[in-house]
Amino acid sequence: MPLGRCGIRGRSRWATSIDWVSAAERANRSRRNPRRRSGHGDRANTRMRTVRETSAGGLVVDGLDGPRDKQCAALIGRTDRRGRLLWSLPKGHIEQGETAEQTAMREVAEETGIQGTVLAELGSIDYWFVTEGRRVHKTVHHYLLRFQGGELSDADVEVTEVAWVPLAELESRLAYADERRLAGVAGELIDQMASAPSEATRENG
């Protein structure tokens, strides 16, 4: 398996919450007591439709059979409304007929150009956001993947940039705390996999 990819960057979707304020709420804020909500605003929020969405993605790592300082992961960068480049794990919606694992492999390939196979589950993240008059409860399942092939690609128009990032730098590079936590879980799993062969050798000896 080729090593030495860390630091390679290529040009290349984390959901962004959209603040929603009803007309009644805006009118209420202009009144003498802005903290008091009108009944109309409460009813409007009550009528807001709640939907559930499920996505999957993961951390694809190259160099798993080599030394730790040569191991790196493919991340995606997206530019937010303030013009900041925010790095995150590739992920996307689970299509009909797909398992979460299949979605993770597909989304990693589509957003980074890298093919990988699932090794283990890292955990799930769930959060709420509001968009287009809907309250969305989103759950994202994440997996640890082994690099199988491919090159960093800019094919996905929703991605600004992609890069191979050393595992040691994930804590400082990833923009979201939940994803930094999952990267820590991945590091622990990788350490366990690295120690498993030596333990098996001692047992057989």
Side-chain angles (χ1 to χ4, degrees):
M1 179 175 298
L3 301 178
R5 296 178 182 273
C6 294
I8 297 176
R9 303 174 73 160
R11 291 195 53 81
S12 2
R13 165 177 90 228
W14 185 264
T16 302
S17 299
I18 299 176
D19 294 330
W20 179 86
V21 180
S22 68
E25 180 70 10
R26 288 195 299 271
N28 186 59
R29 289 180 179 178
S30 65
R31 295 179 181 178
R32 182 173 300 174
N33 182 3
R35 294 186 177 182
R36 182 179 179 182
R37 293 187 178 183
S38 70
H40 295 294
D42 292 340
R43 285 198 296 271
N45 288 332
T46 301
R47 289 197 300 269
M48 190 181 296
R49 185 164 61 97
T50 298
V51 298
R52 289 174 172 79
E53 296 181 357
T54 307
S55 296
L59 189 72
V60 57
V61 178
D62 184 32
L64 284 174
D65 297 325
R68 186 63 178 267
D69 62 352
K70 298 296 184 181
Q71 295 171 355
C72 48
L75 301 186
I76 62 171
R78 292 194 177 96
T79 304
D80 71 358
R81 294 177 178 179
R82 299 179 182 178
R84 300 173 300 177
L85 184 64
L86 303 180
W87 293 95
S88 64
L89 304 180
K91 65 189 72 66
H93 181 70
I94 297 178
E95 301 293 346
Q96 185 174 2
E98 280 187 329
T99 64
E101 292 89 345
Q102 289 171 336
T103 299
M105 292 187 289
R106 175 179 57 77
E107 287 291 337
V108 165
E110 289 180 357
E111 295 193 340
T112 70
I114 302 302
Q115 287 81 46
T117 55
V118 170
L119 292 176
E121 183 176 359
L122 293 178
S124 299
I125 296 172
D126 74 289
Y127 54 95
W128 292 84
F129 62 96
V130 175
T131 181
E132 298 177 351
R134 302 175 302 157
R135 297 178 68 246
V136 181
H137 183 199
K138 188 163 189 171
T139 302
V140 187
H141 304 292
H142 291 82
Y143 297 88
L144 174 64
L145 292 82
R146 177 188 289 272
F147 169 83
Q148 293 294 331
E151 296 292 339
L152 295 180
S153 170
D154 61 355
D156 194 316
V157 296
E158 296 181 335
V159 173
T160 304
E161 191 172 342
V162 294
W164 285 111
V165 177
L167 294 189
E169 296 180 15
L170 293 181
E171 175 71 21
S172 61
R173 188 72 68 92
L174 287 167
Y176 306 104
D178 286 337
E179 293 194 351
R180 293 195 293 270
R181 175 180 59 81
L182 294 180
V185 173
E188 294 173 0
L189 289 172
I190 292 170
D191 288 341
Q192 292 173 11
M193 289 187 293
S195 63
S198 58
E199 292 176 357
T201 300
R202 286 198 299 269
E203 291 176 0
N204 293 333

